[in-house]
Each structure stands twice: as C-alpha cells, then as structure tokens.
Amino acid sequence: CAALGLSSLGFPAIIHAKTTLKMGYIPILDHFAMLISHARDNSSFKAIDIEPVQFKSWDALSGALKANVVGGAMILSNFGMDLYNNGLDIRSVAVGHRHGSGITVRADSAIKSPADLKGKTVAVPYRVSTQAAILDKYMKSGGLSLKDVTVMAVPPPNMPESLKAGSIDAFLGPEPAGERSIQMGIGKILKLSKDIMPNHICCIAVVRKEQLSNTEGIREWVRSMQRSGKLTDDDKAKGSKEVATLARKYVQIDERVIVNVMQQPANRITYSDLAPKVSDFQAIHDMSVSAGLIQKTDLNTFVDESFSKS
C-alpha cells in the first residue's frame, strides 16, 4: 500500500511531496540565519528541502534568480525592491539580519567625519545596496550626500584588498570585510552602521512568487530561520563558537574573524528579530528613493509577513 500510495482501505492516499528550494547566498555573515537553519533543521523539514547555492557576486546571484536557476536568495533589501520594481515577481518572507556593516578606512587615515569623505572614493557592495543608502544618510548628517563621494561597487571579498591597494579610500560593506581589514592591519572602523541607523535591516530573504504555493514548507523554513537567528544571538554569551563552527561548512571565513564580528560589540550584527515588517522596509525604501537608488515600491505586496506569524 505504501509503495502504491494507497490507504489501508485501498483508496489513494494523499502524498505531499517534499519540494526543493534553491537559495542563493553570498559568503558573508549577513546570510548566517539561513545557513545555520540549514545546518540545524533542514533534515527535519517535512514539506521543503532548502539547498543553499553560493555565489561570489550580486550580479551572479541576481542573474540566477532572474533565470530561475535558484528559486530564492538572500539579497540586499533595496536591491530586492529594485528587482521587484523591474518585473521580477518575488516576495520577501523574512529579514536576514540587522546591522552588520561599517565604514572602514585605512589604519593610517585621517578621515574622521562625513566632511573628510568629500571627494573620496568609497566602495559599497553593489550600486543598489543597503550600504549605499546608509552611506547617503551618513553623508547627509554632515550636510553632504552620496553625490559628494565617488561610489564604487566592489564585491565584499575584494574590499580589504582594494583598500590596501589604495584604489579606494574607504568602504561600507558587510562583514567580514571590515573585520578582515582590521585583522590584516590595514583598516579601522570609522562608524558602524548600527550607529548611523539603529536597528536597520539589511539583507532579506526573497523567493519567487510561485514558491509561495508551498505554504507549509515556506512557513517551517521561515520559522526555523527565526529560531536559528535567536540561537546565533544567544550563542554570543558563550563566545559564538558553536555558530562559527556551523557556519564554516558554508563560508570560507576564519572562525576567529566570525567570533570577533559577533563579539565586538555583540550588537554589531544581530539576528533575533527576523520577522519582515513593512515599517522596517519603509525606512530603507525611503532612504533609497531619496538617494536616487530605486523607484517607489509597493511594499504591501513585496513584503509577505504571513509566514513568520503563528
């Protein structure tokens, strides 16, 4: 009966097949909630199988998402909005993390304020990025704007080397870029993003709309990410060793670097509040529109809060 899909009475049994969702990600700490969820819970999911797929650049990741090579991705919040505005039928079902970036300058740099950055070359991970919006906010705190710096898109893994080579004067990028620069002895943190915009979201989980038909699977995965995010923050009290060990399966980041980012300070990047709320997206959206990075977005459609609710 089991082989034929029959019930004990001989009638066809309803079999819900486990569907696979390929999720694109970049090897940065921003995407740890999805990766820790996969390490801890994926084998126990009943309706979904998450398959993490690593990419080295945002162009490669977004290209795979557009081509349906992956059904979802961990992606920069306003970049996801921009893709949606340009016709990609995706929805955000979860926040990936909060905070997690910092303006990094050379160790011997005299840059100390927005005014000191005027005319300088500053790298961000992508042209349309949360970091670009936050850089604009930082510059505006000094009466300037994004237009007063030369913005260069540099993949996060290349940021420390670009700073060392002198091709950029500073960068605002996701970890481990800043911490790697410190460990290499070439950089120092000028300002953490949490101190520019407290409690801001950055990367988010988006999926193609057709994936939402697997309601049960998406819900159990999103809730697992929420649990894994809480575990990641709780593990900070124990030195972040468990998370660093689990994450090494998915990212090529030295465990010491992971621990330092998690610990110095503990709210440098946080994962406990991953429920997608339109109000949080609105803050990044409005900054991005003001900076000329994106067009206005229908956030009430783009953000799907239902999967994170009980």
Side-chain angles (χ1 to χ4, degrees):
C1 287
L4 295 173
L6 302 177
S7 70
S8 59
L9 297 176
F11 296 107
I14 298 175
I15 299 175
H16 296 284
K18 199 173 183 180
T19 61
T20 297
L21 172 58
K22 292 184 177 182
M23 282 293 297
Y25 74 98
I26 304 283
I28 52 179
L29 272 73
D30 295 15
H31 301 170
F32 272 21
M34 189 268 286
L35 301 176
I36 300 302
S37 163
H38 186 268
R40 297 181 68 247
D41 295 339
N42 193 66
S43 61
S44 65
F45 289 158
K46 296 178 180 178
I48 199 165
D49 178 43
I50 301 296
E51 183 180 326
V53 182
Q54 185 180 127
F55 294 88
K56 298 299 184 183
S57 71
W58 295 109
D59 277 330
L61 185 151
S62 61
L65 186 61
K66 291 175 184 177
N68 205 14
V69 172
V70 295
M74 303 299 296
I75 200 164
L76 298 155
S77 57
N78 51 5
F79 186 26
M81 296 174 201
D82 190 53
L83 291 172
Y84 173 78
N85 287 343
N86 283 285
L88 187 58
D89 206 0
I90 54 175
R91 301 290 186 271
S92 179
V93 295
V95 169
H97 66 105
R98 292 173 187 268
H99 308 152
S101 294
I103 301 176
T104 303
V105 297
R106 282 193 288 275
D108 60 354
S109 174
I111 296 173
K112 295 181 179 179
S113 69
D116 294 332
L117 282 174
K118 185 175 181 179
K120 299 292 194 295
T121 299
V122 184
V124 295
Y126 199 70
R127 179 185 61 83
V128 180
S129 60
T130 315
Q131 287 81 4
I134 290 174
L135 177 61
D136 184 61
K137 181 176 177 65
Y138 178 69
M139 296 301 293
K140 284 177 176 174
S141 72
L144 303 167
S145 75
L146 210 56
K147 295 178 181 178
D148 291 298
V149 296
T150 298
V151 178
M152 180 184 295
V154 176
N158 299 341
M159 286 178 168
E161 286 71 19
S162 296
L163 189 68
K164 182 179 180 180
S167 56
I168 58 175
D169 299 294
F171 66 78
L172 178 48
E175 296 294 354
E179 185 60 31
R180 278 190 58 228
S181 297
I182 294 171
Q183 296 292 325
M184 292 166 64
I186 61 170
K188 63 182 178 182
I189 302 295
L190 172 65
K191 196 88 167 177
L192 291 173
S193 64
K194 73 178 185 65
D195 298 321
I196 300 172
M197 185 179 181
N199 206 40
H200 74 83
I201 64 171
C202 187
C203 283
I204 57 176
V206 299
V207 296
R208 295 176 65 95
K209 186 183 177 183
E210 62 264 27
Q211 297 288 339
L212 301 184
S213 61
N214 183 7
T215 305
E216 180 184 350
I218 298 294
R219 181 173 289 113
E220 64 178 341
W221 167 56
V222 167
R223 291 179 178 176
S224 167
M225 280 201 294
Q226 290 177 298
R227 291 193 303 272
S228 297
K230 183 69 163 53
L231 177 143
T232 301
D233 280 348
D234 289 346
D235 190 47
K236 291 173 181 176
K238 306 171 187 175
S240 299
K241 297 295 180 64
E242 179 181 355
V243 165
T245 300
L246 288 173
R248 282 288 294 143
K249 176 182 177 182
Y250 305 92
V251 296
Q252 297 70 50
I253 305 173
D254 186 276
E255 289 189 19
R256 181 183 61 169
V257 171
I258 295 173
V259 168
N260 283 354
V261 172
M262 295 292 185
Q263 297 285 315
Q264 300 177 14
N267 64 345
R268 184 169 173 177
I269 184 168
T270 65
Y271 305 87
S272 292
D273 185 9
L274 303 187
K277 296 183 281 291
V278 170
S279 58
D280 288 332
F281 283 71
Q282 192 74 53
I284 294 294
H285 169 274
D286 292 351
M287 287 167 50
S288 300
V289 171
S290 175
L293 299 172
I294 65 170
Q295 299 297 313
K296 289 185 177 180
T297 308
D298 178 7
L299 294 178
N300 289 313
T301 303
F302 176 67
V303 181
D304 192 331
E305 301 179 356
S306 65
F307 296 99
S308 63
K309 296 178 178 178
S310 300

